[in-house]
Amino acid sequence: MDRLLITGGRKLEGTLAISGAKNAALPLIAATLLTGDTLELRNVPELADVVSMMRLVQRLGVASTYLPGEPGRVAFHCQELLSTTAPYDLVRKMRASVLVLGPLLARGGEAIVSMPGGCAIGTRPIDLHLSGMERLGAIIELSQGYVTARAPAGGLKGARIELTQPSVGATENLLMAAATAKGTTTIIGAAREPEIVDLALLLSSMGAAIEGAGTSTITIEGVAQLHGAVHSIMPDRIEAGTYVMAAGITGGRLHITGGDLGLLGGAREKLEEAGLQFTDTADGFAVSVASEGLRGTDVMTRPYPGFPTDLQAQFMALMCNAEGASMITETIFENRFMHVPELARMGAQITIHGGSALVRGQGARGTTLRGAPVMATDLRASVSLVLAALAAEGETEINRIYHLDRGYEHLEQKLQAVGACVERIP
Ligand code: EPZ
């Protein structure tokens, strides 16, 4: 299995381009099931999870072709559904596979989707997806690890759906199912993440009638059918936030292109509180550390526009190099501190108290990060180890980096280009 070798202690300097967003690409590729016309997506990132989603929709009937010209241009065409089953062997590799449930129900009147099961960061049930589909009239059965959902005669019917928590996946699935349902659907308590706005933009360009994406109340007027479109996937705000913290933890300065500062939501304020400073530029923004250096800062993860859970691990690594203590509270997933013992192997001073972790930064007791062999456990935990390694004294070996390849395009090339000493060992 590939691993990364990183020698720390170098300030990152230079320009780094942000790729298309993983968490937008996955639902948008699922949406290609919704039309019989050709749909062109641009800025599609080269990621293992994107390949998995393309494999899944291919199994269901979507032909995809990489187009010449700029990288990341892909044409998708689902002349007709070849299957309505999302099998266990694909779904178990990537939970986001459940996002084909809505499109299959809408286009084929039936969806047989393997239950995703738990993952490293939490149990992650899909009850809100299923209860929402039931509100649209679907009959749901669970057996042998599969969800079988069937639309009523005449297809799905618009309804009022109240989400008890702002689930990103459930909002996306229901948006795609409701786009061609008969009548009006209102999703109350919807998630507000920018990736949902990007999905709604694509669906609208395919002919859907959607109001309120990005707010907690979304209204969808069902239309008879959806047509082809061309859409460029939004930049990855989590990747941007990650590289912002790579600049911070190394005391460097980066010009981030293709990223949108506004998409950082509540994270920007916390990063500034922690000692980072931002300047808007024509093609993105610049980030550096204020002269007083990094300061201990408390964060609590929240649904958008709050501090994203997908930046929690990276922020914890950053706080290891800050002056003073920080309390980091995770409220979205019940098991998202897998990076703590690995950071501790690198000399970090972190104690866990229920859903919170107390980080004693470098200044408090002269604690410094030191290179060590560590193990990646999930996507964001693994990149927090990369950040710690960039700041650590000596060499760090990160194992199981297939986790990184799921969500970071060309990570080591991007870091090498701004001065990092990082090498992939096949
Ligand atoms: C999306 O996951 C992202 N994944 C996650 O990013 C991200 O952490 C998460 O949203 C929160 O922002 C993709 O977009 C592919 P949720 P999703 O449904 O949709 C509970 C990464 O690192 N819940 O908003 O699965 C759930 O258990 C990944 O890129 C239910 O209880 O997240 C969790 O506690 C990791 N029932 C909370 O809601 C449901 O039916 C939020 O989950 C659905 C969710």
Side-chain angles (χ1 to χ4, degrees):
M1 257 186 266
D2 290 13
R3 54 205 159 91
L4 276 186
L5 286 185
I6 300 178
T7 304
R10 299 174 179 211
K11 286 182 189 293
L12 299 189
E13 307 268 353
T15 299
L16 191 152
I18 295 302
S19 304
K22 168 182 83 80
N23 289 347
L26 301 180
L28 272 66
I29 294 170
T32 63
L33 290 158
L34 286 167
T35 177
D37 297 347
T38 299
L39 219 163
E40 181 182 321
L41 294 180
R42 296 181 176 170
N43 203 24
V44 177
E46 261 182 61
L47 300 170
D49 276 9
V50 166
V51 173
S52 301
M53 186 58 96
M54 285 172 74
R55 275 218 190 97
L56 173 58
V57 296
Q58 189 183 14
R59 186 83 72 85
L60 301 170
V62 179
S64 51
T65 321
Y66 279 86
L67 300 172
E70 86 236 26
R73 253 185 91 205
V74 188
F76 296 87
H77 191 199
C78 182
Q79 182 77 41
E80 58 172 345
L81 289 178
L82 298 179
S83 163
T84 53
T85 302
Y88 178 61
D89 68 319
L90 290 179
V91 175
R92 71 181 172 78
K93 290 202 190 92
M94 183 186 63
R95 321 175 35 75
S97 309
V98 73
L99 292 170
V100 300
L101 177 70
L104 287 174
L105 256 182
R107 177 95 187 268
E110 173 194 82
I112 303 167
V113 178
S114 166
M115 295 284 280
C119 94
I121 65 176
T123 52
R124 303 181 74 178
I126 58 167
D127 56 313
L128 297 172
H129 300 240
L130 303 183
S131 57
M133 296 301 169
E134 281 179 330
R135 294 285 304 145
L136 295 174
I139 311 295
I140 306 265
E141 284 162 31
L142 304 181
S143 76
Q144 294 169 324
Y146 277 79
V147 175
T148 300
R150 289 205 170 77
L156 298 174
K157 299 199 171 31
R160 180 190 163 85
I161 302 171
E162 293 205 27
L163 293 180
T164 49
Q165 51 183 304
S167 157
V168 174
T171 303
E172 291 166 341
N173 235 334
L174 294 167
L175 208 47
M176 292 189 277
T180 54
K182 293 198 175 34
T184 310
T185 297
T186 311
I187 306 176
I188 316 283
R192 302 164 54 190
E193 270 67 7
E195 293 75 18
I196 290 165
V197 175
D198 206 34
L199 174 62
L201 278 176
L202 169 68
L203 293 172
S204 302
S205 66
M206 295 166 72
I210 300 170
E211 297 283 328
T215 76
S216 51
T217 302
I218 304 178
T219 307
I220 307 115
E221 261 335 302
V223 296
Q225 62 177 25
L226 298 173
H227 51 71
V230 176
H231 179 89
S232 187
I233 295 176
M234 62 173 276
D236 196 317
R237 63 192 170 97
I238 304 298
E239 186 195 21
T242 302
Y243 289 122
V244 159
M245 292 192 254
I249 202 169
T250 61
R253 178 185 172 79
L254 286 179
H255 176 204
I256 305 264
T257 60
D260 176 346
L261 209 38
L263 293 175
L264 285 181
R268 178 180 178 168
E269 194 194 315
K270 281 294 171 184
L271 290 164
E272 285 170 336
E273 200 182 314
L276 295 180
Q277 47 194 23
F278 297 96
T279 335
D280 271 316
T281 64
D283 55 1
F285 59 90
V287 57
S288 59
V289 182
S291 52
E292 315 81 62
L294 296 174
R295 296 181 293 273
T297 300
D298 299 346
V299 296
M300 182 177 279
T301 62
R302 284 260 177 256
Y304 194 87
F307 191 95
T309 173
D310 295 346
L311 287 177
Q312 177 258 98
Q314 300 92 315
F315 194 80
M316 191 180 289
L318 184 73
M319 289 299 99
C320 292
N321 252 21
E323 183 71 36
S326 319
M327 181 67 91
I328 296 176
T329 303
E330 173 59 53
T331 70
I332 309 290
F333 293 108
E334 64 274 24
N335 187 31
R336 204 164 204 182
F337 285 150
M338 304 282 276
H339 38 288
V340 171
E342 299 301 317
L343 289 170
R345 290 175 52 72
M346 300 177 72
Q349 302 282 326
I350 306 170
T351 47
I352 295 180
H353 311 271
S356 297
L358 179 65
V359 182
R360 284 191 176 69
Q362 169 171 333
R365 295 190 208 164
T367 313
T368 55
L369 294 167
R370 289 178 297 284
V374 290
M375 189 73 76
T377 49
D378 64 79
L379 170 58
R380 308 304 172 181
S382 49
V383 86
S384 81
L385 303 178
V386 171
L387 295 192
L390 291 169
E393 280 167 29
E395 186 178 81
T396 298
E397 178 191 295
I398 305 178
N399 293 285
R400 296 194 185 159
I401 56 168
Y402 57 83
H403 289 290
L404 278 172
D405 297 335
R406 297 187 59 173
Y408 289 92
E409 187 181 49
H410 311 314
L411 178 127
E412 66 264 29
Q413 291 86 345
K414 289 188 181 186
L415 288 173
Q416 285 159 355
V418 292
C421 178
V422 50
E423 196 192 342
R424 176 184 290 251
I425 311 292

CSV table of all heavy atoms in Angstrom, one decimal, residues 245-271:
chain,number,residue,atom,x,y,z
A,245,MET,N,-4.8,25.9,6.1
A,245,MET,CA,-4.2,25.4,7.4
A,245,MET,C,-2.8,24.9,7.2
A,245,MET,O,-2.0,24.9,8.1
A,245,MET,CB,-5.1,24.5,8.1
A,245,MET,CG,-6.4,25.2,8.6
A,245,MET,SD,-7.4,24.3,9.7
A,245,MET,CE,-8.8,23.8,8.7
A,246,ALA,N,-2.5,24.4,6.0
A,246,ALA,CA,-1.1,24.0,5.7
A,246,ALA,C,-0.2,25.2,5.7
A,246,ALA,O,0.9,25.1,6.2
A,246,ALA,CB,-1.1,23.3,4.3
A,247,ALA,N,-0.7,26.3,5.1
A,247,ALA,CA,0.1,27.5,5.2
A,247,ALA,C,0.2,28.0,6.6
A,247,ALA,O,1.4,28.3,7.1
A,247,ALA,CB,-0.7,28.6,4.4
A,248,GLY,N,-0.8,27.9,7.4
A,248,GLY,CA,-0.8,28.4,8.8
A,248,GLY,C,0.1,27.5,9.7
A,248,GLY,O,1.0,28.1,10.4
A,249,ILE,N,0.1,26.2,9.6
A,249,ILE,CA,0.8,25.4,10.5
A,249,ILE,C,2.3,25.4,10.2
A,249,ILE,O,3.2,25.2,11.0
A,249,ILE,CB,0.3,23.9,10.4
A,249,ILE,CG1,0.7,23.1,11.7
A,249,ILE,CG2,0.8,23.2,9.2
A,249,ILE,CD1,0.0,21.8,11.9
A,250,THR,N,2.7,25.8,8.9
A,250,THR,CA,4.1,25.9,8.5
A,250,THR,C,4.6,27.4,8.6
A,250,THR,O,5.8,27.7,8.3
A,250,THR,CB,4.4,25.4,7.1
A,250,THR,OG1,3.6,26.2,6.2
A,250,THR,CG2,4.0,24.0,7.0
A,251,GLY,N,3.7,28.3,9.0
A,251,GLY,CA,4.1,29.7,9.1
A,251,GLY,C,4.4,30.3,7.7
A,251,GLY,O,5.2,31.2,7.6
A,252,GLY,N,3.7,29.7,6.7
A,252,GLY,CA,4.0,30.1,5.3
A,252,GLY,C,3.0,31.1,4.8
A,252,GLY,O,2.2,31.7,5.5
A,253,ARG,N,3.0,31.3,3.4
A,253,ARG,CA,2.1,32.2,2.8
A,253,ARG,C,1.7,31.6,1.5
A,253,ARG,O,2.6,31.2,0.6
A,253,ARG,CB,2.8,33.5,2.5
A,253,ARG,CG,2.0,34.5,1.8
A,253,ARG,CD,2.8,35.8,1.5
A,253,ARG,NE,2.0,36.6,0.6
A,253,ARG,CZ,0.9,37.4,1.1
A,253,ARG,NH1,0.7,37.4,2.4
A,253,ARG,NH2,0.2,38.1,0.2
A,254,LEU,N,0.4,31.4,1.2
A,254,LEU,CA,0.0,30.8,0.0
A,254,LEU,C,-1.0,31.7,-0.8
A,254,LEU,O,-1.8,32.4,-0.1
A,254,LEU,CB,-0.7,29.4,0.3
A,254,LEU,CG,0.2,28.2,0.7
A,254,LEU,CD1,-0.7,27.0,0.9
A,254,LEU,CD2,1.2,27.9,-0.4
A,255,HIS,N,-0.9,31.6,-2.1
A,255,HIS,CA,-1.9,32.2,-2.9
A,255,HIS,C,-2.8,31.1,-3.4
A,255,HIS,O,-2.3,30.2,-4.2
A,255,HIS,CB,-1.3,33.0,-4.1
A,255,HIS,CG,-2.2,33.6,-5.1
A,255,HIS,ND1,-1.9,33.8,-6.4
A,255,HIS,CD2,-3.6,33.9,-4.9
A,255,HIS,CE1,-3.0,34.3,-7.0
A,255,HIS,NE2,-4.0,34.4,-6.2
A,256,ILE,N,-4.1,31.1,-3.0
A,256,ILE,CA,-5.0,30.0,-3.4
A,256,ILE,C,-5.8,30.4,-4.5
A,256,ILE,O,-6.6,31.4,-4.4
A,256,ILE,CB,-5.9,29.6,-2.2
A,256,ILE,CG1,-5.0,29.3,-0.9
A,256,ILE,CG2,-6.8,28.5,-2.5
A,256,ILE,CD1,-4.7,27.9,-0.6
A,257,THR,N,-5.7,29.7,-5.7
A,257,THR,CA,-6.5,30.1,-6.8
A,257,THR,C,-7.6,29.1,-7.1
A,257,THR,O,-7.5,28.0,-6.7
A,257,THR,CB,-5.6,30.1,-8.1
A,257,THR,OG1,-5.0,28.8,-8.3
A,257,THR,CG2,-4.5,31.1,-8.0
A,258,GLY,N,-8.7,29.7,-7.6
A,258,GLY,CA,-9.8,28.8,-7.9
A,258,GLY,C,-10.7,28.5,-6.7
A,258,GLY,O,-11.7,27.9,-6.8
A,259,GLY,N,-10.2,29.0,-5.5
A,259,GLY,CA,-11.0,28.8,-4.3
A,259,GLY,C,-11.8,30.0,-4.0
A,259,GLY,O,-11.4,31.1,-4.5
A,260,ASP,N,-12.9,29.9,-3.2
A,260,ASP,CA,-13.7,31.0,-2.9
A,260,ASP,C,-13.8,31.2,-1.4
A,260,ASP,O,-14.3,30.4,-0.7
A,260,ASP,CB,-15.1,30.8,-3.5
A,260,ASP,CG,-16.2,31.8,-3.2
A,260,ASP,OD1,-15.9,32.6,-2.3
A,260,ASP,OD2,-17.3,31.8,-3.8
A,261,LEU,N,-13.2,32.3,-0.9
A,261,LEU,CA,-13.1,32.6,0.5
A,261,LEU,C,-14.5,32.5,1.1
A,261,LEU,O,-14.7,32.0,2.2
A,261,LEU,CB,-12.5,34.0,0.7
A,261,LEU,CG,-11.7,34.3,1.9
A,261,LEU,CD1,-10.9,33.1,2.4
A,261,LEU,CD2,-10.9,35.5,1.7
A,262,GLY,N,-15.5,33.0,0.4
A,262,GLY,CA,-16.9,33.1,0.9
A,262,GLY,C,-17.4,31.7,1.3
A,262,GLY,O,-18.2,31.5,2.2
A,263,LEU,N,-16.9,30.6,0.6
A,263,LEU,CA,-17.4,29.3,0.8
A,263,LEU,C,-16.9,28.7,2.1
A,263,LEU,O,-17.4,27.7,2.6
A,263,LEU,CB,-17.1,28.4,-0.3
A,263,LEU,CG,-17.7,28.7,-1.7
A,263,LEU,CD1,-17.1,27.7,-2.8
A,263,LEU,CD2,-19.2,28.5,-1.6
A,264,LEU,N,-15.9,29.3,2.8
A,264,LEU,CA,-15.4,28.8,4.0
A,264,LEU,C,-16.4,28.9,5.2
A,264,LEU,O,-16.3,28.3,6.2
A,264,LEU,CB,-14.1,29.5,4.4
A,264,LEU,CG,-12.9,29.0,3.6
A,264,LEU,CD1,-11.6,29.8,4.1
A,264,LEU,CD2,-12.6,27.5,3.7
A,265,GLY,N,-17.5,29.8,4.9
A,265,GLY,CA,-18.5,29.9,6.0
A,265,GLY,C,-17.9,30.3,7.3
A,265,GLY,O,-17.0,31.1,7.4
A,266,GLY,N,-18.4,29.7,8.4
A,266,GLY,CA,-17.9,30.0,9.7
A,266,GLY,C,-16.5,29.7,10.0
A,266,GLY,O,-15.9,30.2,10.9
A,267,ALA,N,-15.9,28.9,9.1
A,267,ALA,CA,-14.5,28.6,9.3
A,267,ALA,C,-13.6,29.8,9.2
A,267,ALA,O,-12.6,29.9,9.9
A,267,ALA,CB,-14.1,27.5,8.3
A,268,ARG,N,-13.9,30.7,8.3
A,268,ARG,CA,-13.1,31.9,8.1
A,268,ARG,C,-12.9,32.6,9.4
A,268,ARG,O,-11.7,32.9,9.8
A,268,ARG,CB,-13.6,32.8,7.1
A,268,ARG,CG,-12.7,34.0,6.9
A,268,ARG,CD,-13.2,35.0,5.8
A,268,ARG,NE,-12.3,36.2,5.8
A,268,ARG,CZ,-12.3,37.1,4.9
A,268,ARG,NH1,-13.2,37.0,3.9
A,268,ARG,NH2,-11.5,38.1,4.9
A,269,GLU,N,-13.9,32.9,10.1
A,269,GLU,CA,-13.9,33.7,11.3
A,269,GLU,C,-13.0,33.0,12.4
A,269,GLU,O,-12.1,33.6,13.0
A,269,GLU,CB,-15.3,33.8,11.8
A,269,GLU,CG,-15.6,34.8,12.9
A,269,GLU,CD,-17.0,34.5,13.5
A,269,GLU,OE1,-17.9,34.3,12.7
A,269,GLU,OE2,-17.1,34.4,14.7
A,270,LYS,N,-13.1,31.7,12.5
A,270,LYS,CA,-12.3,31.0,13.4
A,270,LYS,C,-10.9,30.9,13.0
A,270,LYS,O,-10.0,31.0,13.9
A,270,LYS,CB,-12.9,29.5,13.6
A,270,LYS,CG,-14.1,29.5,14.4
A,270,LYS,CD,-13.8,29.8,15.9
A,270,LYS,CE,-15.0,30.0,16.8
A,270,LYS,NZ,-14.6,30.4,18.1
A,271,LEU,N,-10.6,30.8,11.7
A,271,LEU,CA,-9.2,30.8,11.3
A,271,LEU,C,-8.6,32.2,11.5
A,271,LEU,O,-7.4,32.2,11.9
A,271,LEU,CB,-9.2,30.4,9.8
A,271,LEU,CG,-9.6,29.0,9.5
A,271,LEU,CD1,-9.9,28.7,8.0
A,271,LEU,CD2,-8.5,28.0,10.0
